[in-house]
Amino acid sequence: MSRLPFRFLHAGDLHLEVPLHGIAEVPDQLRELLLEANYTAAGRVFDTAINEEVDFVVLAGDVVHAETAGLRALVFLSEQFRRLEARGIDVYWCGGRVDPPDAWPDAVALPENVHRFGEADVQEFKCRRNDVPVARIAGIARRKSRKLPLQKFPKRGTGAFPIGVAHANDAPHQPEPPPPPAYE
């Protein structure tokens, strides 16, 4: 089976619960712009997914801390997910440190196009176009004090293209690249 081409958008660490900070003085004309910066940036992520007609969106953790962000952030995300749903774009959300799968409040229902990865084990979803699988997205939400089970991610194979997603700080150690050559 040949692999079909597809397009996806990957984003993470939107942190809608954290307003911009660290600026000592802000001119009056920029104050509102800076207050809205997180939402503007996140909105552009979803606008891009729609404008580029991607097949799916992968969110790789720390999108929003539901408790501290408040209702505005939850409604905002829900509206963005519904915009994607109206265009047939699925969302595969791998929770991070601030947005584990069980932290989303039941009172704000997620649309059916949003697929959350759990913390217990690697899960796999198949993204389809016209009922034909184009990608297999395997992932696991951040696991508190447990290592990332890399051996449980599916290996490359035939058929739909494999994509792995996780939000973790315990990836295997990569050796430092050698220093650049010294020029005389």
Side-chain angles (χ1 to χ4, degrees):
M1 172 185 203
S2 65
R3 292 185 176 160
L4 295 174
F6 63 91
R7 302 175 85 183
F8 76 99
L9 186 142
H10 167 266
D13 291 309
L14 299 177
H15 283 287
L16 291 176
E17 77 281 359
V18 181
L20 289 180
H21 58 281
I23 302 172
E25 293 182 33
V26 177
D28 289 341
Q29 66 270 24
L30 296 180
R31 186 165 286 128
E32 187 67 27
L33 184 68
L34 290 175
L35 287 172
E36 294 297 314
N38 288 11
Y39 289 92
T40 301
R44 287 183 181 163
V45 167
F46 298 108
D47 290 345
T48 299
I50 291 168
N51 293 337
E52 294 296 326
E53 299 178 354
V54 301
D55 291 287
F56 57 92
V57 171
V58 174
L59 295 177
D62 287 357
V63 173
V64 64
H65 187 282
E67 274 186 38
T68 60
L71 187 58
R72 177 185 180 203
L74 303 179
V75 169
F76 170 82
L77 274 178
S78 182
E79 288 171 352
Q80 300 308 309
F81 294 152
R82 289 187 196 293
R83 288 177 60 212
L84 296 177
E85 182 181 44
R87 306 288 195 305
I89 301 172
D90 282 343
V91 176
Y92 301 95
W93 185 357
C94 175
R97 183 179 50 80
V98 304
D99 58 356
D102 60 352
W104 188 267
D106 293 334
V108 182
L110 290 171
E112 290 185 21
N113 67 320
V114 178
H115 311 281
R116 300 287 314 258
F117 293 99
E119 296 173 313
D121 207 354
V122 174
Q123 291 174 273
E124 183 175 290
F125 296 102
K126 287 190 176 136
C127 179
R128 299 174 179 277
R129 186 185 315 126
N130 299 326
D131 239 8
V132 176
V134 294
R136 299 176 338 209
I137 302 105
I140 187 167
R142 184 181 178 106
R143 298 157 48 112
K144 297 174 187 94
S145 73
R146 291 186 281 169
K147 293 286 185 188
L148 187 61
L150 294 176
Q151 71 283 2
K152 292 190 176 185
F153 278 80
K155 305 298 182 250
R156 202 178 335 180
T158 60
F161 191 88
I163 296 172
V165 61
H167 188 283
N169 291 332
D170 59 354
H173 175 71
Q174 298 295 318
E176 291 291 320
Y183 293 102
E184 295 178 19

